[in-house]
Amino acid sequence: MKNQEISKIFYEIAEYLKTERIAFRPYAYSKAALSLETIEEDVSDVYRKGGLKALEEIPGIGKNLALKIEEYLKHGKIKYYDDLKKKLPIKLDEITRVEGMGPKKAKILYEKLKVKNLKDLEKAAKAKKLRGLRGFGEKTEKNIIEGIAFLKRDKGRFLLGEIMPDVKKIISSLKRLKEVDRISTAGSVRRMKETIGDVDILIVSKNPSKVMDFFVSLEGVVKIWSKGTTRSSIRMRKGFDVDLRVVPEKSYGSALQYFTGSKEHNIFTRRTAMDKGLKLNEYGVFKGSKMIAGKTEEEVYKAIGMAWIPPEMRENEGEIELALKNSLPDIIGYNDIKGDLHTHSDWDGGANSIKEMAETARSMGYDYIGIADHTKFLKIEHGLDEKQLLRQRKEIEKLNAELSGFRILQGCEANILNDGLIDIKDEVLKKLDFVIAGVHSSFKMEKEKMTERIIKAMRNPNIDIISHPTGRLIQKRDEYLIDFDKILKAAKETGTILEINSYPERLDLKDFYIRRAKEAGVKMVINTDSHHKDQLKLIEYGISQARRGWAEKKDIINTEPLNRLLKNFRY
Ligand code: DGT
Ligand code: CA
Ligand code: CA
C-alpha cells in the first residue's frame, strides 16, 4: 500500500519544514501524514477511481498535497521532498527519534558539527561538543546520550500497534487458502504484549507445501530465512519477521499452548503437569505413553487440572495458581466498551470534526463519545481557551439535540502545570461534562514534586480523569518519576479515574500498574486519545493492556451505560 510510503515522506517533509521558520506548513504535512496512515482505503485506489478530486476529499488533504500524492503515484517521487533533502542532507527522521532532538536542533548540529546521522550525534555528544552551541547545554547533551541509549535498548522489537494491522492482513490472506484448516497467531502477538520480537503463526493443513509456497510469496516479503513443510520464516518490508508452523490437527491445542508462551508460563504449566504425573509438551498431554489431550487448548488446560487462561494473562504472574483453583478474574472483553472519552476534534487541530468523530463512534456501536481537546497551555497543539470551550459547548449541545440514542460529552484535556494548578479556570471546567487533566510539560521533576503536582490536580474537584498517568513513550521516553502508591491512595480518596491510554506508543497505564490500581480499588477508563476518526479503533490495544493487567469490566468506567457513567464524574 502506498499510504504508508507517502505518509512517511509527508512526516519527513514536516520535519524538514520545522527546521525553517514557517508557522503552519509543517503542521499541514503532519496532519496529512496522519490521515494517510490511518485511512482504510489504498490511496492508489482512491486516485484511480476519482482522480485528484477524490484525493482532496481525504481529511487533511488539500489541493497542494493532493498534487504531491499524484506526483508520487505517477513518478514514485516528490520533487519538493527531494529538494528539501538536498538542502539539508541528513537523516532527519533518525536523529529526531532521539527524545529531546527536534528538527531545529538537528539543523544547527549539521551546520556547526556536520552531524548527519545517529552515529555522528552520539559521537559529538559523547565528545562534549554540543554544549555551548545555541540551545544546547550540558543537560541537553546528557539527555541526548540517554535518549540514544534508550533507542538502542529496545532495538529489534516493534510496537504491537505498529505491526498488528499487517499481522491481521497476513492472517486473513492465509485464511482464504482452502488448504488452511485452522489458523491462529501465537507468541507475544497472541498475548498482545506491547512490543513484539517476532510474529508467530500456527496452522493446521493437509497440504503444508502449498501453504508454505503461498506464505513465502506474500506481498511485502523481503527475505526468506527458511522454508520447509513444518516451519518457514520470512522478513517483511517493515523489518519484522514472521514464523509459520504447521502442526498436526490432534496437537493443535497443545502446540498453540506451547507457542503462545510466555516461556515462564510454560515452564510452570509443564511443572504442574509433572506434579500430577503427566507430561506436557507441544505435541500433547501424556499419561505414560498415552496421549490424553492435545486437540484444543481448553482440553489441554483441563487435563492438567486448570481452567483455560486468556493469552494476555500468561506471564506467570500468579495466573496458574488461580487457574488451578478455578478462580481466575473475569477480565474485560473486547466488546465491553461503550464509549471513548478521550478524543480530539478539529477544534484543537485534530483531523475530524466533532460530528465526524461522533458518527464514527456511533458506527462502532458506542453509546457515547467524549470530546477532550487540548487546552490553552499547549500552544503547539492549538489548545482551547475558556471562551473557545464555551463556544464548543454550544456546538455540542446543538449536535446532541439532533441525535437520539447517542450522546456527545464535552470534556477537555487540560494541563497540569508545574505547581499542580490547571490551565483553565474552575468556573469553566465546572460547565463541562467531565475533565481530563494530564502532564504535558516539565517531565523531569523530582519524584516527590511530580507526585505532589499530580495529587494536587486530583484534589481539584473538577478533575475527573488523569490522562496517560506515567507519561512514558515506549522506546522513546521513560515514565516520569512518581510515587505510584501515593497516587493510588489519592485517586481512591478523591474518586479520580486513571486512564489506560490505547495509543500504541503510550499504553499508559501499563499492565503492571493496572493490576495495582485494580487491587487498590481505583477505577480506570480505557481511551484512545484519537486525533483522527480512524484512530478510534486503537481501543483494541487499550483493552488488551487492561486484560494484561487483569482488569475486569467493573474496574473500567466506560463499560457502563451513559447514566451510570455520568455518576463517576464529580461536577
Ligand atoms: P517475542 O517474539 O520476543 O516477542 O516473544 P515470544 O513470546 O513470541 O517468543 P518466541 O517468538 O521466541 O517464542 C514463541 C513462544 O514459544 C514463546 O512464547 C514460548 C515458546 N518457546 C520458545 N522457546 C521456548 C523455550 O525454550 N522454552 C519454552 N518453555 N517455551 C519456549
Ligand atoms: Ca514471537
Ligand atoms: Ca518466534
Side-chain angles (χ1 to χ4, degrees):
M1 212 151 107
K2 295 270 184 265
N3 299 34
Q4 305 300 332
E5 292 166 30
I6 301 174
S7 159
K8 192 163 172 268
I9 292 177
F10 280 4
Y11 273 125
E12 271 189 62
I13 292 180
E15 295 296 291
Y16 276 110
L17 291 176
K18 281 187 215 155
T19 65
E20 297 166 10
R21 288 178 192 282
I22 313 165
F24 286 105
R25 266 204 298 156
Y27 178 66
Y29 276 97
S30 53
K31 192 165 148 183
L34 175 64
S35 192
L36 285 177
E37 192 176 50
T38 39
I39 57 168
E40 302 272 355
E41 317 94 287
D42 190 329
V43 270
S44 329
D45 292 340
V46 174
Y47 180 65
R48 196 159 22 82
K49 284 186 213 144
L52 267 180
K53 269 269 144 344
L55 290 178
E56 280 178 55
E57 268 158 37
I58 301 172
I61 310 285
K63 183 81 192 278
N64 175 31
L65 294 180
L67 283 168
K68 299 227 163 31
I69 296 174
E70 178 181 52
E71 185 185 346
Y72 188 80
L73 293 175
K74 280 190 174 159
H75 310 292
K77 55 185 194 171
I78 298 173
K79 184 170 180 299
Y80 181 60
Y81 169 63
D82 294 341
D83 289 347
L84 285 168
K85 271 204 310 199
K86 256 181 240 154
K87 244 167 65 185
L88 190 63
I90 64 176
K91 289 203 169 155
L92 197 53
D93 57 335
E94 188 178 294
I95 294 174
T96 52
R97 228 178 296 144
V98 178
E99 180 61 15
M101 270 302 300
K104 288 197 183 104
K105 286 202 170 100
K107 188 182 183 193
I108 293 172
L109 292 186
Y110 173 68
E111 285 167 351
K112 302 284 182 205
L113 303 171
K114 290 274 166 273
V115 166
K116 285 186 172 171
N117 51 38
L118 202 58
K119 229 170 130 189
D120 296 346
L121 177 65
E122 185 173 18
K123 236 167 80 187
K126 286 192 170 155
K128 303 189 165 104
K129 284 186 183 157
L130 308 191
R131 56 185 71 175
L133 296 177
R134 183 158 50 87
F136 292 86
E138 242 175 85
K139 215 166 131 198
T140 0
E141 202 173 73
K142 198 173 138 253
N143 287 345
I144 287 169
I145 294 171
E146 273 174 26
I148 294 172
F150 214 101
L151 277 180
K152 284 185 176 169
R153 199 163 78 199
D154 243 351
K155 215 171 168 201
R157 295 192 71 82
F158 295 80
L159 294 181
L160 177 68
E162 197 177 1
I163 61 173
M164 203 54 179
D166 302 77
V167 173
K168 284 183 180 163
K169 271 184 213 145
I170 295 172
I171 294 282
S172 72
S173 348
L174 284 165
K175 244 186 199 161
R176 281 198 295 270
L177 282 190
K178 64 175 190 316
E179 287 81 8
V180 171
D181 298 330
R182 312 196 65 171
I183 181 166
S184 173
T185 54
S188 49
V189 170
R190 185 161 180 245
R191 302 199 312 280
M192 299 294 272
K193 219 177 137 163
E194 57 199 40
T195 65
I196 303 298
D198 74 348
V199 176
D200 302 279
I201 299 177
L202 285 194
I203 278 182
V204 173
S205 171
K206 288 179 201 75
N207 191 347
S209 54
K210 261 270 174 59
V211 175
M212 293 306 192
D213 285 344
F214 179 81
F215 176 64
V216 299
S217 59
L218 279 170
E219 201 213 310
V221 174
V222 291
K223 190 163 179 65
I224 301 168
W225 299 116
S226 65
K227 185 179 174 228
T229 51
T230 55
R231 183 177 173 186
S232 297
S233 182
I234 54 173
R235 168 149 304 175
M236 302 301 289
R237 191 177 300 122
K238 254 191 202 167
F240 65 89
D241 293 342
V242 187
D243 259 2
L244 178 70
R245 290 185 179 83
V246 176
V247 300
E249 170 114 58
K250 66 176 196 314
S251 299
Y252 181 67
S254 40
L256 194 53
Q257 197 280 327
Y258 179 86
F259 289 111
T260 295
S262 67
K263 204 167 155 180
E264 292 70 23
H265 175 90
N266 286 355
I267 291 169
F268 202 176
T269 46
R270 211 175 320 135
R271 206 162 62 213
T272 310
M274 255 152 56
D275 291 344
K276 294 183 191 288
L278 302 167
K279 194 170 96 191
L280 166 68
N281 59 29
E282 66 229 75
Y283 306 106
V285 183
F286 299 87
K287 192 169 200 167
S289 60
K290 191 172 167 249
M291 178 165 165
I292 60 166
K295 201 168 174 191
T296 67
E297 261 192 346
E298 283 80 1
E299 68 174 42
V300 167
Y301 278 106
K302 195 168 165 215
I304 58 172
M306 55 180 98
W308 180 83
I309 302 172
E312 295 90 336
M313 292 182 69
R314 301 185 194 170
E315 299 291 348
N316 193 27
E317 297 281 351
E319 74 280 6
I320 294 170
E321 290 87 336
L322 292 179
L324 281 166
K325 291 188 289 185
N326 200 18
S327 51
L328 284 168
D330 182 14
I331 60 175
I332 179 175
Y334 284 97
N335 293 316
D336 284 338
I337 295 294
K338 296 213 160 53
D340 192 330
L341 293 178
H342 184 172
T343 73
H344 296 264
S345 73
D346 57 2
W347 282 65
D348 75 355
N352 296 101
S353 66
I354 296 173
K355 191 160 178 232
E356 289 165 334
M357 295 300 283
E359 278 165 357
T360 307
R362 197 167 192 180
S363 73
M364 289 167 69
Y366 285 167
D367 297 341
Y368 46 83
I369 186 172
I371 300 293
D373 283 330
H374 286 294
T375 55
K376 64 188 179 189
F377 176 78
L378 276 192
K379 291 199 186 67
I380 45 161
E381 299 274 6
H382 303 250
L384 275 51
D385 62 17
E386 283 84 353
K387 262 199 186 135
Q388 289 168 304
L389 281 168
L390 293 175
R391 255 202 302 132
Q392 190 187 51
R393 173 114 210 122
K394 291 235 167 70
E395 174 171 329
I396 289 179
E397 277 165 10
K398 221 169 81 200
L399 288 167
N400 273 327
E402 294 159 13
L403 288 168
S404 70
F406 185 87
R407 189 68 177 272
I408 305 169
L409 300 171
Q410 188 193 19
C412 69
E413 188 185 18
N415 299 292
I416 304 176
L417 304 174
N418 289 5
D419 53 7
L421 292 176
I422 304 297
D423 65 335
I424 293 290
K425 290 198 183 81
D426 283 323
E427 65 236 44
V428 172
L429 294 180
K430 243 179 230 169
K431 296 204 167 108
L432 311 183
D433 294 308
F434 68 97
V435 178
I436 302 177
V439 170
H440 294 104
S441 59
S442 306
F443 301 112
K444 297 223 166 199
M445 274 187 169
E446 279 168 42
K447 186 169 175 176
E448 210 162 299
K449 268 178 99 178
M450 188 59 111
T451 307
E452 270 170 31
R453 175 181 177 186
I454 296 171
I455 290 178
K456 181 151 176 203
M458 289 175 160
R459 296 213 185 280
N460 178 336
N462 292 302
I463 304 303
D464 301 296
I465 297 171
I466 302 293
S467 56
H468 37 72
T470 72
R472 70 154 175 181
L473 297 176
I474 302 173
Q475 299 180 333
K476 215 167 182 183
R477 184 172 80 202
D478 264 323
E479 46 192 66
Y480 35 72
L481 302 173
I482 47 173
D483 184 330
F484 197 66
D485 284 325
K486 279 194 184 151
I487 297 276
L488 286 178
K489 197 159 157 263
K492 180 81 185 155
E493 268 168 35
T494 56
T496 311
I497 293 135
L498 300 183
E499 179 179 77
I500 299 171
N501 188 297
S502 310
Y503 228 74
E505 69 170 0
R506 287 198 184 272
L507 294 176
D508 178 8
L509 300 172
K510 68 176 172 193
D511 46 8
F512 168 73
Y513 290 129
I514 294 169
R515 273 185 74 181
R516 285 172 64 187
K518 176 191 153 159
E519 278 159 19
V522 169
K523 295 265 187 259
M524 291 166 275
V525 57
I526 305 176
N527 289 328
T528 58
D529 204 347
S530 290
H531 288 67
H532 188 295
K533 64 183 169 63
D534 289 346
Q535 289 178 330
L536 288 169
K537 63 180 182 231
L538 297 177
I539 198 83
E540 180 187 357
Y541 307 120
I543 299 171
S544 56
Q545 191 74 199
R547 287 167 63 84
R548 290 179 58 81
W550 300 16
E552 299 183 56
K553 204 172 156 182
K554 63 175 161 43
D555 300 313
I556 308 292
I557 64 160
N558 53 336
T559 59
E560 296 174 358
L562 182 66
N563 57 347
R564 288 226 318 268
L565 172 88
L566 293 174
K567 295 200 177 110
N568 293 292
F569 305 140
R570 287 179 280 176
Y571 265 111

